Amino acid sequence: MSLRSSCGSVSQKRTVSGLLAGRVIKKPTLEDGQQLQEAAIQLLDQHQNLSSLVHELENPGPCDKLCAENGEQNQNQAASDANPHHVSALLLGSELRRQAAQLGVSVGVVSVQTVLERLMEITERQEEEEERWREMFTSSQRVQLCVLLESTKELLSQAVLCPKRLWMEYRRDQHPKLEVVYYLHKYYILRLDYMLHSDESVRSWLPRQLKALCGWTPPQEEEETRRLQQKVLSVVVGVLVGAGFEEAAERKLSLLCSSVLDDMLFWLLDIEEKHGEVTKRWIQTLDASLCGASVSPGALQRFFTHCLTQIFTCNTRLTVSDAVALQKEWTLAKTSHCLTSLYCKLAVIFSAEQLLHHLQQVLETHEVNWKHVLCFVSSLLVYYQAARPCLTELLSRLLSSAFEGYDLENMITAFLLARQGALEGAGVFPPYSDWFKTSFGGSAGFQASSKKSLVFLLKFLSDLVPFEPPQYLKVHILHPPYVPAKHRNLLMEYVTLAKTRLADLKESVEDMGLYEDVSGSCASSQPQCQAAQDVEKAVSLFGSTGRISATVMEASIFRRPYFLTRFLPALLKPRVLPLKPDARMNFIEALKKADKVPAAQYSSYVDSCQRHRQQNKTAKRPDLKEDPLDVLRIQLQELPGLVDAGNDGEMSAQLSRISHTLSVIFPGSADELTRQTVVTLNTETPQLPELHLKVINLILQNFCQCLLTASRGNPPNKQTSWGCRFVCVLLDNRQLLSAVMHRLWDLFHNQGASLSPAHTLGLAAFVVHLHASMALGPLVQLVPATQPQAAPLAETISSAVLCNTHANMLFSLRLCAAAVSYGLCRGEPQQQQDYVPPSLYKKLLYLIPRLFPEARGKAACVWPDEDGPAVLWSSFTQDRNIWTKTVLHLWRHAGFQQLQQTPRYQLCFSEWLHNELRVQRNEDILSDCQRQEYQQWACLQLYLSRPEEQGGCGGDAKELCTRLLVAIMDQPPSELEKPGSAEPSGTGTCLPDLLSRLQELVQEVELSPGRADLWDVLFELLSQRCSSCPVSITSKLSLQRTLHAWNRVLLALPAALFFKTKSEGGRTTVDCSQLVEHINQHQRKACSPAGVLPPLVTAHFLKGLLCAAVRCGHPAGEVNGTWCQMSRTCPLLAVSAVRWWQQLAPVLFSLWTRLRDGEPHPEQLQLLTDCRHWACSLSPGPVTQMPPAAVLLCAASLHEACISCEEPPQNFRDVLRSLQPERHVQHQQVLVSLLGLWLKDYLDALLFAQEKRCQRSRTFCSELLAVLVDSADWLLIFRSNEPTRCHPVSLMSSEDCTRLMPWAVCSLLQQQSAEFLQKALRAPGFLHSAILWYLAVLQLFLGGDTPTCEPKVEPAQILNRTKQFVLSLVSQAPPAALSSGQLRQLECQCADLDPELAAALSVLLEPHSLSPEVDFL
């Protein structure tokens, strides 16, 4: 009879609970409750069914209310007795004892059987209700099980139940269910420790249950079951770890638990790549949270150490040779996520040093699984920044140990670990090439101590050759270990072996790039890819230097197969040629001129380019099964969440995967690119390919998103190092980096004003991290070259940020302010220079005072250093509408101002001028008045008084003028037109404004006591800039540009500045010596047309003479005396004055009238007018009196009069003879000077192929020679190399014209008549001069400087004609034409240059032919 049926027969089928509840008529007392309880127990004892009773325990009824009421009456013992579970358990215990007594067995047997029957009933119901197998109970079954176990616990407290018998009976019929075991453990009925200790078969069923539970996935809606599943696993693992790894653990039990855990670990490693979710559950149980719950810290460390050991030593099938060959497949990006997560879980409680120490112990004592070991090293380096120096130290210890005991195991271990670190990229660990060079490249290398060590190393490397990937062989060949000279043959044996192996791998040394610097970080490039990279590098060097690099020239000779089959095809790849030749086209033309490109190959290239232009089809990207762009997009989308979570390790792992995906899209990141020291940034390159542009945009947008996500929670100094690691991923791939740099340049240079605030902030931080990673990145060379040499990444990109217009200034201000604020906040006070790019900081120093007048005072600190930068950055990310206030706060911040104390962060005056000269006046944010006020403040208040060591002028106004002058002269040619042109110069820039500032400063210096020193300073400056000897076309053009720029400035300075006044004996005189020296040394080198100063410059000098003479006591006399002196010593100015006198006379006479108030004009100026009138009035007949002017002035006047005639006068020879040069020495000197002027014109006409002008000049020269043929005076014109005997005309031309003058004379003489030549041979010194002219032409030919006067005549033909002409002169010369000294001198000079001429001269050395006369010249 059951409990329910018994109660129903007594009281109309009601339950005991209902019966008791129904009899509650009044509020019972304590005694009534006890009596009622005893009565109920007696009643139930008579008729009871254990199974129904257990069911009754799981479904309490109204009796609970009675118990609750009893509990309110007495909170102590009475309340405890009234608990329904307690009451039911008492009833059950009583019944169990009664039945045990009836059956004659122990009560423990009956109680165990009852509990197990109910447990089996719950379990079997699960199997009936569920359509599929479950490893865990449903929620309703779990409630029933918990109630059962609560009652069981009560029975245990009554000593009615034996837990050991319960476990024995439960294990006898079936395999334990892990959830049941967990609850038995949880309710303290039967601890798992006991099960492990007592159950001999636990080793068989526990791992199976653990695997089954890990492999089962709860339904998605059962979140509680999912949490309980993880809890069960964690509790079991905690008990196993505690029992197996505590110091006081029993050995047998410890081995058992360790065996179970090892079984699970090996199972995990077997399925790691196939069942991600399954392995994830088990890995989550290996958590450091076990420590403190059920496991001591020591036990947890021993367990994790044991796990690492087992991972390192399981499945040791791979040999060292396998590891060497397959190592590149074991990087973090290619390792399963399961294995990296497992490593992170096991390594979290250790330091990097401890982990590497343990790894070393395992390597020294066990056979290892190299894949697991090397994957662990990659994970450790990526997830733990502190691992890098620890690994470097470990490698050093391994090498030291290897060479001390000549231990191959330590040696191979060191090489494998170093290569594994290098495979993760330069941002994680130094490249293999760097490590190899550091370890073995110098005389302090490990192998350098003895020959035995060297042999050990080379033997080791030789043994690796059959297994090594080619990139490591290339490292060893390109960066061989240091070997003393006497042992060089040992190294060559290895190099020969390595090259043979490369040839076997079809990667011959011939296919190695010209600029290859391999690191071994990835597979070798294909030869075609390598050749393309070599071409880009060679073109870049050619664009920056203008010459073919020595590497290319050497390759064309010593590596001809590679040059012809790889390099040239890559260079001559057909393309659409630009209309304006670019650097690549110029490079090809240079190679063609050097005979390095076969004619047929070049012709084929040109034809292919033409066909390519006609077709003009764009290539389509192949359709891939799995688009890398989609993979990259997904990977990048996950990154902001990892950054926001602050999980540094997971973030680094994700970046490694991103890096791997990028290497698929940008396959050029081979070993050469990994360590390329200079990358090229072509600012004129068209837009990136569509795929590359999409990828770069994704990368930059993701960086901006990561920055905003990270900044929402923390300022930059509280964030992880995600930014630097993000940038390091890009630095590892040079092709990708180049694309990023091109995109940044385009954004900053062309689209800055259109960037959103979020993008501006993100890109500013990106540039900061580029600067912080400067040591890891390459240098950048701009093409076309706008900077003298390659510069770091951030500095180069900063040059794209312009400050020349209103819009650009605002963008630059926002970008630079955001970057500096981020850098100040990102770095600690002692590290701020590592995060603040100097170029962007200097732009702020320039822009803020320019745009904000309130910032021109002394800056004051408004925020303390400890929280100021963080507040600044938050204002940028949150308050975007008040950025101007934020900029001013940044300007006044102490950290910002403190940086100015460092030299590299100081904006010197020259840099300020550079920026100001590039501002477009018509698009400036300042008005003309505001700009004038700002420039005056900057020049006079800021930089004039600032010390020189801080970039100022130290209070020296002359120094300020000098720097202004230098900046103006350094302007590009487009901004500085030639003086004298009608077009205004520099109207688009602030050049006129700064010229005005220069005028103001000069005027101020003029009024100071030391005014005479300013011209000395300016002249010395110009002399320094022009002192370098021009040896190339480039340097000559640079010199001409410098002089044109100087003349532009010269015209803006006071004219009187160029003349000094000095007082001697109470008399003030004008000193023109420095000006004369300046004109003779420098101005004559840049005249256009040659031999004549520009009219404005000429007028300026003459006005300066008048203004300076006014300061003297006798102004007219000083003008006359000074001009007479200048006419003799400065022929260029004298001839220029005559040339432009018709324009200059009104200006100068008007100036003199104003200066001297009607005083008569100076005599020498009037003589210039008289000379012109005299030259124009010459005609056959009576000789007009020649003015008493200098010879050169008269000759120049005649020259000008002849030029003004459209055709040479028919009676020009008669006009010349009418001057009677044979009677008047002065007249003869005038004609000689006139001949020099016409010869100069003749040379100029020859050089520029002006036929009409050439014929005209030749006619005048011939007429003059006919008159002067009997005299030797005209030969002095060509003695420019003898200063004491130099003719004034030779001081008017540049050195180049002087060197070419013998060629012009020889050309002219060849067109003279035989009669003239016979007369000339009788003149003293003519033959000697003619031979010297020929030798000068021969030297021009040998130097490659011979010009071509006729389009179809080669220089060799010209030289041959000149030689035949001179030989004919020698053969016709009379015996007295040359003295013996002249003959010997000429024969000596001709011995090496022209043996034929020397032989002809030797005939004249016969005794009867020698002339005893003294040399005329």
Side-chain angles (χ1 to χ4, degrees):
M1 179 179 179
S2 70
L3 179 63
R4 295 182 185 272
S5 61
S6 175
C7 294
S9 61
V10 176
S11 182
Q12 299 179 0
K13 303 294 183 179
R14 291 191 297 174
T15 65
V16 175
S17 300
L19 178 63
L20 295 176
R23 294 180 63 84
V24 178
I25 300 174
K26 64 178 180 178
K27 192 172 184 179
T29 63
L30 180 61
E31 293 78 7
D32 294 339
Q34 293 175 347
Q35 293 174 2
L36 180 62
Q37 192 177 52
E38 293 173 357
I41 290 174
Q42 290 177 358
L43 179 63
L44 292 173
D45 282 344
Q46 296 175 5
H47 305 282
Q48 187 59 272
N49 181 286
L50 289 178
S51 178
S52 299
L53 182 58
V54 172
H55 278 285
E56 181 69 20
L57 294 177
E58 298 172 7
N59 298 281
C63 182
D64 294 344
K65 299 178 182 179
L66 174 62
C67 297
E69 293 174 359
N70 290 336
E72 292 175 0
Q73 293 178 7
N74 191 329
Q75 296 296 329
N76 300 319
Q77 183 64 35
S80 176
D81 294 339
N83 185 284
H85 289 292
H86 181 68
V87 173
S88 301
L90 288 176
L91 294 175
L92 182 59
S94 175
E95 178 61 20
L96 289 172
R97 290 189 187 94
R98 187 183 66 79
Q99 287 199 12
Q102 290 179 355
L103 297 174
V105 295
S106 66
V107 67
V109 175
V110 179
S111 59
V112 166
Q113 183 179 0
T114 303
V115 171
L116 286 179
E117 287 178 355
R118 178 56 185 156
L119 179 61
M120 296 303 297
E121 184 179 348
I122 295 173
T123 305
E124 291 171 358
R125 184 180 305 167
Q126 174 198 9
E127 297 175 358
E128 295 173 357
E129 293 176 356
E130 293 293 325
E131 296 180 359
R132 60 186 180 88
W133 175 255
R134 292 176 59 100
E135 289 295 335
M136 298 187 70
F137 296 117
T138 63
S139 57
S140 60
Q141 292 168 333
R142 196 172 296 119
V143 170
Q144 296 174 12
L145 179 62
C146 290
V147 172
L148 173 63
L149 294 181
E150 282 285 355
S151 301
T152 305
K153 187 177 179 181
E154 290 290 341
L155 295 177
L156 187 63
S157 65
Q158 299 175 35
V160 175
L161 180 69
C162 176
K164 297 180 180 179
R165 180 176 292 276
L166 176 64
W167 175 250
M168 183 176 62
E169 295 296 330
Y170 178 58
R171 278 286 295 114
R172 178 180 300 169
D173 299 332
Q174 63 178 350
H175 293 300
K177 196 175 183 66
L178 207 54
E179 188 175 5
V180 175
V181 173
Y182 163 74
Y183 279 115
L184 290 174
H185 177 83
K186 177 182 178 182
Y187 283 96
Y188 296 95
I189 297 172
L190 195 65
R191 302 293 289 177
L192 185 56
D193 311 65
Y194 170 77
M195 303 178 195
L196 296 172
H197 193 273
S198 61
D199 192 346
E200 296 181 356
S201 61
V202 70
R203 178 66 184 83
S204 62
W205 62 264
L206 184 55
R208 188 164 56 251
Q209 288 293 318
L210 287 171
K211 295 174 186 177
L213 185 57
C214 286
W216 179 73
T217 302
Q220 191 171 1
E221 64 275 8
E222 296 187 20
E223 185 61 30
E224 181 183 355
T225 304
R226 191 184 304 274
R227 288 195 297 269
L228 182 61
Q229 180 187 28
Q230 198 63 47
K231 180 67 175 176
V232 171
L233 292 172
S234 297
V235 169
V236 174
V237 171
V239 173
L240 291 172
V241 173
F245 293 92
E246 292 289 356
E247 289 185 349
E250 182 183 345
R251 177 168 176 76
K252 180 180 179 181
L253 180 61
S254 175
L255 293 174
L256 172 65
C257 295
S258 176
S259 175
V260 172
L261 291 171
D262 288 348
D263 194 358
M264 292 300 297
L265 180 63
F266 297 147
W267 169 75
L268 176 72
L269 294 175
D270 288 339
I271 67 169
E272 58 167 315
E273 298 181 358
K274 301 177 182 178
H275 303 85
E277 190 67 25
V278 174
T279 58
K280 182 179 178 181
R281 292 194 191 95
W282 181 253
I283 292 173
Q284 286 178 350
T285 64
L286 306 178
D287 198 272
S289 60
L290 291 173
C291 181
S294 57
V295 182
S296 66
L300 189 64
Q301 287 189 356
R302 285 187 289 274
F303 168 58
F304 282 178
T305 302
H306 174 78
C307 288
L308 288 173
T309 303
Q310 295 294 355
I311 295 173
F312 295 157
T313 58
C314 72
N315 298 328
T316 58
R317 294 187 299 270
L318 294 173
T319 63
V320 169
S321 58
D322 296 331
V324 171
L326 301 175
Q327 188 172 7
K328 64 182 179 181
E329 302 297 329
W330 299 338
T331 60
L332 182 75
K334 298 180 180 180
T335 303
S336 67
H337 186 69
C338 162
L339 192 57
T340 56
S341 300
L342 179 60
Y343 285 142
C344 291
K345 286 289 186 180
L346 298 177
V348 70
I349 63 174
F350 300 102
S351 66
E353 186 176 3
Q354 289 174 320
L355 292 168
L356 289 174
H357 177 70
H358 176 67
L359 176 61
Q360 184 180 7
Q361 288 181 330
V362 173
L363 290 170
E364 291 174 349
T365 56
H366 296 77
E367 289 290 332
V368 296
N369 182 324
W370 280 110
K371 177 181 179 181
H372 289 171
V373 168
L374 297 179
C375 289
F376 171 76
V377 172
S378 286
S379 301
L380 186 63
L381 287 171
V382 171
Y383 280 87
Y384 297 91
Q385 293 183 2
R388 176 172 177 165
C390 295
L391 180 58
T392 303
E393 184 179 352
L394 173 61
L395 293 175
S396 180
R397 291 199 306 268
L398 289 171
L399 288 178
S400 298
S401 176
F403 280 93
E404 286 174 4
Y406 302 105
D407 184 355
L408 285 175
E409 291 187 1
N410 282 333
M411 194 74 166
I412 189 61
T413 300
F415 270 74
L416 287 175
L417 296 185
R419 292 178 179 183
Q420 190 66 26
L423 287 172
E424 296 302 332
V428 176
F429 195 76
Y432 175 72
S433 57
D434 288 358
W435 175 81
F436 189 81
K437 286 187 291 184
T438 302
S439 301
F440 309 108
S443 58
F446 289 95
Q447 84 289 358
S449 58
S450 65
K451 179 181 178 181
K452 187 175 181 181
S453 298
L454 176 61
V455 172
F456 172 67
L457 173 63
L458 294 177
K459 176 66 167 58
F460 169 76
L461 293 178
S462 299
D463 292 342
L464 286 182
V465 166
F467 314 103
E468 289 220 87
Q471 65 265 27
Y472 297 117
L473 294 174
K474 291 181 181 180
V475 171
H476 300 161
I477 294 175
L478 292 176
H479 310 290
Y482 169 78
V483 175
K486 59 183 178 180
H487 302 314
R488 195 71 180 172
N489 60 317
L490 298 176
L491 175 62
M492 295 313 297
E493 291 177 4
Y494 168 74
V495 171
T496 302
L497 180 63
K499 288 184 177 180
T500 303
R501 175 60 178 165
L502 285 174
D504 293 341
L505 296 174
K506 297 183 179 179
E507 293 209 16
S508 169
V509 180
E510 289 297 333
D511 286 335
M512 293 168 61
L514 303 182
Y515 304 95
E516 190 168 11
D517 186 10
V518 292
S519 70
S521 62
C522 54
S524 178
S525 296
Q526 293 297 323
Q528 294 82 358
C529 181
Q530 181 63 59
Q533 295 157 10
D534 286 341
V535 166
E536 293 300 324
K537 179 68 174 178
V539 171
S540 170
L541 290 176
F542 178 81
S544 59
T545 64
R547 292 181 293 183
I548 303 172
S549 69
T551 304
V552 175
M553 297 299 290
E554 291 172 0
S556 67
I557 300 172
F558 302 108
R559 297 187 58 193
R560 194 161 181 80
Y562 175 82
F563 183 79
L564 293 177
T565 62
R566 302 293 187 196
F567 184 82
L568 284 184
L571 175 65
L572 301 177
K573 184 178 180 180
R575 62 182 181 127
V576 178
L577 296 178
L579 298 178
K580 180 182 178 181
D582 57 4
R584 193 185 190 99
M585 292 176 65
N586 293 333
F587 180 61
I588 294 173
E589 289 298 324
L591 285 176
K592 181 175 178 292
K593 289 181 180 179
D595 294 331
K596 299 301 180 183
V597 181
Q601 194 171 7
Y602 179 80
S603 176
S604 175
Y605 165 70
V606 173
D607 294 341
S608 299
C609 289
Q610 292 176 351
R611 289 194 300 270
H612 205 70
R613 176 181 291 277
Q614 294 173 358
Q615 296 172 359
N616 198 17
K617 294 181 178 180
T618 57
K620 296 184 179 179
R621 183 164 54 88
D623 192 12
L624 304 177
K625 294 182 179 179
E626 186 177 12
D627 191 353
L629 184 61
D630 294 336
V631 176
L632 178 66
R633 185 179 289 108
I634 295 172
Q635 291 174 335
L636 289 174
Q637 287 173 354
E638 297 173 358
L639 190 59
L642 297 175
V643 171
D644 189 31
N647 191 331
D648 210 16
E650 288 297 332
M651 182 268 298
S652 298
Q654 185 71 3
L655 286 176
S656 293
R657 300 181 190 101
I658 292 172
S659 176
H660 177 68
T661 306
L662 289 172
S663 68
V664 177
I665 302 175
F666 294 89
S669 60
D671 39 44
E672 181 272 340
L673 291 178
T674 305
R675 293 304 296 158
Q676 188 178 341
T677 56
V678 178
V679 297
T680 301
L681 176 56
N682 194 327
T683 57
E684 296 181 352
T685 300
Q687 194 175 22
L688 293 170
E690 182 180 358
L691 174 62
H692 291 183
L693 183 62
K694 288 181 179 179
V695 171
I696 302 306
N697 287 341
L698 271 178
I699 292 173
L700 296 180
Q701 289 171 2
N702 185 261
F703 185 93
C704 297
Q705 183 180 356
C706 288
L707 177 76
L708 295 179
T709 301
S711 298
R712 280 199 296 265
N714 296 301
N717 57 335
K718 302 296 183 183
Q719 298 174 15
T720 62
S721 58
W722 68 270
C724 286
R725 296 192 179 186
F726 192 109
V727 170
C728 285
V729 169
L730 308 181
L731 296 178
D732 284 342
N733 189 321
R734 293 296 191 256
Q735 185 186 8
L736 168 62
L737 178 63
S738 177
V740 172
M741 298 295 287
H742 279 85
R743 182 57 176 156
L744 285 177
W745 182 277
D746 180 56
L747 290 173
F748 288 167
H749 196 270
N750 304 321
Q751 306 178 43
S754 62
L755 291 176
S756 67
H759 288 154
T760 302
L761 291 176
L763 295 178
F766 187 84
V767 175
V768 169
H769 285 293
L770 279 178
H771 173 70
S773 305
M774 180 170 52
L776 301 175
L779 299 177
V780 181
Q781 179 64 58
L782 290 178
V783 177
T786 58
Q787 51 192 16
Q789 56 187 3
L793 297 170
E795 297 300 306
T796 303
I797 287 300
S798 299
S799 62
V801 182
L802 302 179
C803 304
N804 58 343
T805 64
H806 186 161
N808 287 338
M809 286 182 188
L810 294 182
F811 166 70
S812 179
L813 184 66
R814 294 183 181 184
L815 178 76
C816 297
V820 172
S821 297
Y822 182 83
L824 288 173
C825 187
R826 187 70 180 88
E828 299 296 331
Q830 63 274 14
Q831 297 178 337
Q832 285 179 346
Q833 295 186 27
D834 296 335
Y835 288 94
V836 178
S839 54
L840 297 184
Y841 180 85
K842 289 181 180 181
K843 289 184 187 294
L844 286 182
L845 294 181
Y846 171 71
L847 286 172
I848 294 179
R850 198 177 199 279
L851 272 59
F852 302 97
E854 57 268 37
R856 296 172 192 170
K858 186 176 181 180
C861 176
V862 295
W863 282 327
D865 286 341
E866 55 268 17
D867 61 352
V871 176
L872 278 173
W873 180 247
S874 65
S875 63
F876 271 104
T877 56
Q878 298 172 11
D879 303 326
R880 299 174 185 172
N881 296 325
I882 57 171
W883 64 272
T884 54
K885 184 184 297 185
T886 304
V887 169
L888 288 175
H889 288 168
L890 171 64
W891 174 259
R892 298 189 179 101
H893 191 269
F896 182 90
Q897 292 295 329
Q898 188 177 3
L899 280 176
Q900 287 197 69
Q901 307 305 317
T902 306
R904 63 191 294 229
Y905 288 95
Q906 292 169 354
L907 181 71
C908 66
F909 186 49
S910 300
E911 293 172 324
W912 178 86
L913 287 170
H914 176 83
N915 291 328
E916 191 68 13
L917 280 167
R918 274 147 187 77
V919 175
Q920 301 297 317
R921 301 175 76 233
N922 54 344
E923 297 184 56
D924 191 5
I925 196 172
L926 302 179
S927 64
D928 291 344
C929 294
Q930 290 173 334
R931 183 168 53 254
Q932 177 184 358
E933 178 184 352
Y934 163 67
Q935 291 176 352
Q936 289 174 341
W937 168 83
C939 292
L940 301 178
Q941 298 184 40
L942 182 61
Y943 286 107
L944 178 60
S945 58
R946 178 173 288 182
E948 290 188 21
E949 58 271 15
Q950 297 181 14
C953 300
D956 188 352
K958 285 178 287 192
E959 178 67 19
L960 190 67
C961 291
T962 301
R963 297 194 185 183
L964 259 173
L965 177 62
V966 170
I968 292 172
M969 291 178 61
D970 285 339
Q971 285 293 284
S974 59
E975 300 297 337
L976 286 168
E977 301 295 340
K978 292 187 299 182
S981 63
E983 300 177 3
S985 304
T987 53
T989 68
C990 286
L991 176 62
D993 300 86
L994 290 177
L995 281 173
S996 299
R997 305 292 84 75
L998 180 60
Q999 291 171 335
E1000 295 167 0
L1001 287 167
V1002 170
Q1003 183 65 29
E1004 182 177 332
V1005 175
E1006 279 273 289
L1007 299 176
S1008 64
R1011 62 160 296 278
D1013 297 336
L1014 182 59
W1015 167 240
D1016 296 336
V1017 173
L1018 299 180
F1019 180 74
E1020 181 181 1
L1021 170 65
L1022 182 65
S1023 298
Q1024 290 175 355
R1025 295 176 71 95
C1026 299
S1027 59
S1028 58
C1029 180
V1031 294
S1032 65
I1033 297 297
T1034 303
S1035 56
K1036 292 175 184 177
L1037 293 175
S1038 177
L1039 174 62
Q1040 292 183 5
R1041 191 191 71 81
T1042 299
L1043 290 171
H1044 289 324
W1046 159 248
N1047 287 341
R1048 178 66 179 87
V1049 177
L1050 178 149
L1051 295 176
L1053 298 178
L1057 179 67
F1058 306 105
F1059 291 85
K1060 291 184 179 180
T1061 56
K1062 58 182 180 179
S1063 299
E1064 294 180 355
R1067 181 186 174 192
T1068 303
T1069 59
V1070 176
D1071 182 10
C1072 63
S1073 57
Q1074 274 194 316
L1075 178 62
V1076 170
E1077 181 182 1
H1078 164 68
I1079 295 175
N1080 289 339
Q1081 282 189 1
H1082 304 304
Q1083 288 288 350
R1084 70 190 182 101
K1085 297 177 181 178
C1087 292
S1088 181
V1092 182
L1093 290 174
L1096 293 180
V1097 174
T1098 306
H1100 202 63
F1101 286 148
L1102 293 178
K1103 286 191 290 184
L1105 172 60
L1106 299 183
C1107 294
V1110 173
R1111 300 173 183 168
C1112 303
H1114 303 282
E1118 285 302 319
V1119 171
N1120 292 332
T1122 305
W1123 181 247
C1124 286
Q1125 178 185 354
M1126 298 184 74
S1127 298
R1128 295 190 304 271
T1129 60
C1130 189
L1132 180 59
L1133 180 60
V1135 172
S1136 301
V1138 174
R1139 174 70 180 271
W1140 310 116
W1141 186 246
Q1142 195 168 2
Q1143 305 174 30
L1144 301 182
V1147 177
L1148 295 177
F1149 289 151
S1150 174
L1151 175 62
W1152 179 259
T1153 301
R1154 294 196 307 272
L1155 292 175
R1156 299 304 298 165
D1157 193 18
E1159 184 176 327
H1161 299 156
E1163 180 181 348
Q1164 289 297 322
L1165 297 185
Q1166 187 61 47
L1167 276 177
L1168 289 172
T1169 303
D1170 296 342
C1171 287
R1172 185 173 183 82
H1173 291 161
W1174 167 78
C1176 293
S1177 64
L1178 281 179
S1179 60
V1183 177
T1184 306
Q1185 180 67 33
M1186 189 172 67
V1191 169
L1192 190 59
L1193 293 179
C1194 294
S1197 299
L1198 278 174
H1199 182 252
E1200 186 64 22
C1202 294
I1203 290 178
S1204 61
C1205 299
E1206 294 184 1
E1207 296 292 339
Q1210 298 296 328
N1211 55 350
F1212 181 66
R1213 182 178 302 181
D1214 297 333
V1215 172
L1216 296 178
R1217 292 189 182 278
S1218 67
L1219 292 176
Q1220 299 179 349
E1222 66 279 359
R1223 296 182 182 180
H1224 301 281
V1225 176
Q1226 188 178 12
H1227 290 187
Q1228 183 171 346
Q1229 293 176 352
V1230 168
L1231 295 183
V1232 170
S1233 298
L1234 181 60
L1235 174 61
L1237 295 175
W1238 276 114
L1239 277 173
K1240 178 179 63 66
D1241 288 355
Y1242 178 64
L1243 174 62
D1244 191 52
L1246 283 176
L1247 291 176
F1248 296 99
Q1250 299 174 356
E1251 181 62 31
K1252 184 176 180 180
R1253 184 183 170 198
C1254 182
Q1255 178 64 35
R1256 177 186 176 88
S1257 301
R1258 183 167 57 245
T1259 300
F1260 279 108
C1261 288
S1262 299
E1263 297 294 340
L1264 284 166
L1265 285 174
V1267 175
L1268 297 172
V1269 64
D1270 297 326
S1271 171
D1273 291 346
W1274 67 278
L1275 300 176
L1276 294 174
I1277 298 175
F1278 311 100
R1279 295 288 178 164
S1280 59
N1281 56 343
E1282 301 178 17
T1284 58
R1285 307 177 66 182
C1286 178
H1287 194 277
V1289 174
S1290 61
L1291 295 178
M1292 296 171 49
S1293 304
S1294 64
E1295 286 85 350
D1296 288 337
C1297 290
T1298 303
R1299 289 174 59 242
L1300 292 173
M1301 189 60 75
W1303 169 71
V1305 175
C1306 288
S1307 174
L1308 180 64
L1309 291 177
Q1310 293 178 48
Q1311 302 177 53
Q1312 302 304 313
S1313 64
E1315 180 184 358
F1316 169 82
L1317 294 177
Q1318 288 297 328
K1319 290 182 179 181
L1321 283 173
R1322 292 194 292 270
F1326 173 77
L1327 181 60
H1328 180 261
S1329 298
I1331 295 175
L1332 291 179
W1333 295 335
Y1334 164 69
L1335 293 178
V1337 174
L1338 179 58
Q1339 289 177 337
L1340 286 175
F1341 175 81
L1342 295 177
D1345 296 330
T1346 305
T1348 303
C1349 59
E1350 301 178 29
K1352 298 183 179 180
V1353 179
E1354 294 295 330
Q1357 297 178 356
I1358 297 176
L1359 180 67
N1360 186 56
R1361 276 192 275 174
T1362 305
K1363 178 179 178 179
Q1364 298 302 322
F1365 169 72
V1366 173
L1367 288 174
S1368 66
L1369 290 179
V1370 172
S1371 63
Q1372 301 174 26
L1378 293 172
S1379 67
S1380 59
Q1382 289 175 334
L1383 274 171
R1384 290 188 178 90
Q1385 179 188 8
L1386 291 174
E1387 186 182 24
C1388 181
Q1389 292 180 358
C1390 295
D1392 295 330
L1393 293 175
D1394 193 335
E1396 184 179 356
L1397 179 59
L1401 291 173
S1402 65
V1403 177
L1404 297 178
L1405 278 174
E1406 297 177 3
H1408 66 273
S1409 64
L1410 294 181
S1411 173
E1413 297 179 3
V1414 181
D1415 294 348
F1416 176 76
L1417 296 175

